[in-house]
Amino acid sequence: MKDHLIIFDTTLRDGEQSPGASMTREEKVRIARQLERMRVDVIEAGFPAASNGDFEAVKAVAAAVKGSTICGLARAIEGDIRRAGEALQGANSARIHTFIATSPIHMEKKLRMSPDQVVEQAVKAVKWARQYTNDVEFSPEDAGRSDITFLCRVLEAVIDAGAGTVNIPDTVGYTMPQQFGELIRTLRERIPNSDKVVFSVHCHNDLGLAVANSLSAVMNGARQVECTVNGLGERAGNASLEEIVMAVRTRQDFFPCDTRIDAVHIVPASKLVSGITGFPVQPNKAIVGANAFAHESGIHQDGVLKHRETYEIMRAEDVGWGANKLLLGKHSGRNAFRSRLAELGIELESEEILNATFMRFKELADKKHDIFDEDLHALVSDDAAALQEHYKLLSLTAHSETGETPHASIVIGEEGRESRAESDGSGPVDATFRAIEKILNSGVELQLYSVNAITSGTDSQGEVTVRLQKSGRIVNGNGADTDIVVASAKAYLSALNKLHSKLERAHPQV
């Protein structure tokens, strides 16, 4: 029997710390349901002490998901741990993940604590967490730059205090694969009670080595990997869940362990996370990129046609490519629509919301012949955003003609009032954004504008992502429509709504 490699997904916590990637409670629940469907072992749902919104999101995920362990992050502070314990009360299986920095630079410059104080606080934190659950994980932050002897001392103490998992984070993405693997092996050899815990790793991708470092750790005895869908995360991101899972599964001749992940749900999860966060997946991204299984070279094409394994080490369908072919159309009824949403893990809060979403589905079906799963995710995301709208797009007219200056006219609703404006621009999207600013005068800086086709075909919905910055706060807005100019206006207003409603929050840098 091969060892079980535990997949600990932190998309909802560390992934959300990507600037602009904050998620609403409903969006976190949708992603958590997809992770549960994928059979992820542990879902880190958030940082309950960070904000009331994060507390409620962790609580909602804990109530909604029963097939995975739900984890809440907490600093080694009693108030943080109590807050995490309260948020996780409704979980079928709960874990508290507590951490404190152990590197000399962090202890001296950030914590202003002595090594003895750090050990004492770490032990207290684990004991506080054990009052809520027997499943406690401890992380020595910045382990990659910590003194190895002190690291052994801290970990031995927290294991004695009752931690069941010790997680070794490469917090700043500084270590090399051989170096990180040796660190894990050394810790397991030098800590007297190391056989009582699962060793975990949490690697950042600042040098593009998060997956390599994680796999090196696995080969040296780590049996949990902390990762995110699409490699989402702070700065350059985290180890990519799909790459970890498929590397281990594809090379079973090499790895002494395997995961329990149902890989056919990987691509749908990738598309869901991308759609909700507004972070598009690069085409050449391993496993989930649009080109991951595409072959342009004639030599490659010929080889694949003769025998797939000449150039493909995995089957596209095994990770979920081609799984979006169950179609709905304008003749589909309400029950078929409801059933498909349920299969996708989408639960609408009321019959009224279902009816409104179904009407929008019918409107979309009149514009495009076939409705794919990705369309439904975009539709529900749009509807969820509409429920929290302060600024609402009421109408838009955009005109573009060769040799003429593009022009847009827009009507925006705000608390029952209608405001109108029109503007010229370098293109219809630019004219639309200028018209919006004539009304709202928001003072934002546009940092990113990107367009992706949700599905193939000229009638595909276009999904637009807009990133805005104001006073140090960064938000992403998303909009989808078969008309790309309308989608752009929706995305811009979506971002402005987030700035207005303060759905975005300042994240503790963990």
Side-chain angles (χ1 to χ4, degrees):
M1 289 288 291
K2 291 212 168 192
D3 288 350
H4 173 212
L5 179 61
I6 298 166
I7 295 298
F8 178 113
D9 181 273
T10 184
T11 304
L12 302 181
R13 200 278 299 168
D14 202 326
E16 196 196 17
Q17 291 181 204
S18 301
S22 283
M23 308 164 200
T24 66
R25 178 179 62 187
E26 292 74 19
E27 289 168 342
K28 280 196 171 189
V29 170
R30 284 174 59 201
I31 291 174
R33 288 185 187 279
Q34 180 63 29
L35 295 174
E36 179 186 29
R37 193 173 296 110
M38 203 195 306
R39 301 184 69 202
V40 164
D41 298 284
V42 184
I43 299 171
E44 190 168 55
F47 197 153
S51 70
N52 288 334
D54 225 25
F55 176 88
E56 293 298 332
V58 173
K59 190 174 179 181
V61 170
V65 173
K66 300 304 177 187
S68 303
T69 295
I70 307 303
C71 179
L73 184 69
R75 292 169 296 182
I77 297 171
E78 185 173 8
D80 274 28
I81 292 167
R82 303 285 181 215
R83 194 73 169 147
E86 291 166 12
L88 293 166
Q89 281 180 352
N92 192 46
S93 174
R95 173 181 294 188
I96 292 177
H97 179 190
T98 186
F99 69 96
I100 192 168
T102 55
S103 66
I105 188 171
H106 276 237
M107 289 190 290
E108 179 186 349
K109 303 297 184 183
K110 186 180 78 170
L111 298 179
R112 293 183 170 83
M113 294 172 69
S114 69
D116 287 347
Q117 289 174 317
V118 167
V119 174
E120 181 184 358
Q121 194 68 21
V123 168
K124 283 182 179 178
V126 171
K127 290 182 177 179
W128 286 325
R130 289 274 299 192
Q131 295 174 16
Y132 293 92
T133 175
N134 291 329
D135 190 349
V136 177
E137 176 173 334
F138 174 80
S139 289
E141 186 185 3
D142 202 22
R145 295 189 296 177
S146 297
D147 174 74
I148 187 71
T149 300
F150 180 65
L151 202 53
C152 289
R153 177 187 168 195
V154 172
L155 294 178
E156 182 181 356
V158 296
I159 295 169
D160 279 342
T165 302
V166 290
N167 176 59
I168 311 304
D170 184 19
T171 305
V172 293
Y174 182 72
T175 56
M176 296 290 109
Q178 181 178 351
Q179 178 187 21
F180 194 64
E182 288 175 356
L183 171 63
I184 301 302
R185 187 180 72 248
T186 301
L187 290 174
R188 293 180 64 234
E189 289 172 352
R190 287 183 55 178
I191 298 171
N193 50 6
S194 64
D195 59 325
K196 296 180 180 179
V197 292
V198 173
F199 272 79
S200 170
V201 290
H202 177 114
C203 297
H204 279 267
N205 206 39
D206 298 72
L207 294 175
L209 296 170
V211 170
N213 280 338
S214 299
L215 295 177
S216 176
V218 169
M219 291 303 297
N220 283 277
R223 287 299 177 265
Q224 175 178 285
V225 174
E226 302 198 355
C227 46
T228 60
V229 175
N230 298 338
L232 196 66
E234 273 194 277
R235 304 185 310 278
N238 290 65
S240 164
L241 178 150
E242 56 274 9
E243 293 175 25
I244 295 289
V245 168
M246 295 312 296
V248 170
R249 185 152 301 171
T250 303
R251 294 302 310 273
Q252 279 291 284
D253 61 319
F254 185 76
F255 287 98
C257 54
D258 197 6
T259 74
R260 69 166 192 163
I261 295 296
D262 186 350
V264 296
H265 295 290
I266 284 177
V267 169
S270 168
K271 291 183 177 181
L272 177 62
V273 170
S274 177
I276 285 177
T277 61
F279 281 57
V281 176
Q282 67 193 60
N284 62 331
K285 169 76 169 66
I287 317 297
V288 294
N291 293 349
F293 293 90
H295 300 277
E296 180 72 18
S297 161
I299 295 172
H300 286 213
Q301 290 172 346
D302 179 64
V304 168
L305 288 172
K306 289 175 178 174
H307 187 70
R308 179 187 60 81
E309 292 181 2
T310 54
Y311 286 102
E312 287 188 359
I313 59 174
M314 297 169 283
R315 296 195 314 162
E317 55 268 33
D318 288 346
V319 295
W321 284 108
N324 67 340
K325 300 305 183 186
L326 293 175
L327 307 180
L328 293 172
K330 65 180 180 179
H331 298 298
S332 300
R334 191 184 311 268
N335 284 338
F337 178 70
R338 188 202 302 264
S339 296
R340 191 64 194 137
L341 291 184
E343 290 170 13
L344 293 172
I346 299 171
E347 292 187 7
L348 302 179
E349 293 183 357
S350 67
E351 197 70 20
E352 181 183 357
I353 295 175
L354 173 67
N355 291 338
T357 307
F358 181 67
M359 292 303 297
R360 293 211 36 219
F361 159 72
K362 285 291 192 180
E363 291 171 6
L364 177 61
D366 284 334
K367 296 178 183 178
K368 66 190 303 275
H369 184 262
D370 295 319
I371 309 296
F372 294 88
D373 292 347
E374 293 88 342
D375 292 311
L376 296 181
H377 280 300
L379 193 70
V380 173
S381 293
D382 259 9
D383 280 349
L387 293 174
Q388 299 153 356
E389 282 183 334
H390 179 76
Y391 308 117
K392 184 176 179 63
L393 176 65
L394 299 180
S395 71
L396 170 63
T397 303
H399 179 79
S400 183
E401 182 180 345
T402 305
E404 299 292 331
T405 301
H407 184 83
S409 176
I410 197 165
V411 180
I412 295 174
E414 180 183 2
E415 296 181 339
R417 303 189 307 272
E418 292 187 8
S419 303
R420 303 168 185 270
E422 50 188 77
S423 179
D424 293 338
S426 60
V429 172
D430 182 52
T432 298
F433 289 178
R434 288 174 182 271
I436 292 172
E437 283 301 327
K438 276 191 175 182
I439 297 172
L440 303 180
N441 193 28
S442 67
V444 298
E445 176 188 343
L446 178 64
Q447 292 194 329
L448 173 74
Y449 172 82
S450 69
V451 181
N452 289 282
I454 293 176
T455 55
S456 59
T458 56
D459 67 345
S460 169
Q461 286 193 94
E463 185 172 56
V464 174
T465 300
V466 168
R467 185 173 300 159
L468 303 179
Q469 187 269 342
K470 183 178 183 180
S471 303
R473 291 180 65 221
I474 300 173
V475 295
N476 278 346
N478 289 77
D481 199 275
T482 52
D483 185 324
I484 206 65
V485 182
V486 173
S488 301
K490 286 181 177 180
Y492 198 89
L493 289 173
S494 168
L496 290 176
N497 279 319
K498 286 183 178 180
L499 283 171
H500 179 269
S501 64
K502 298 182 181 178
L503 285 176
E504 303 295 300
R505 59 176 172 79
H507 290 278
Q509 298 302 298
V510 180

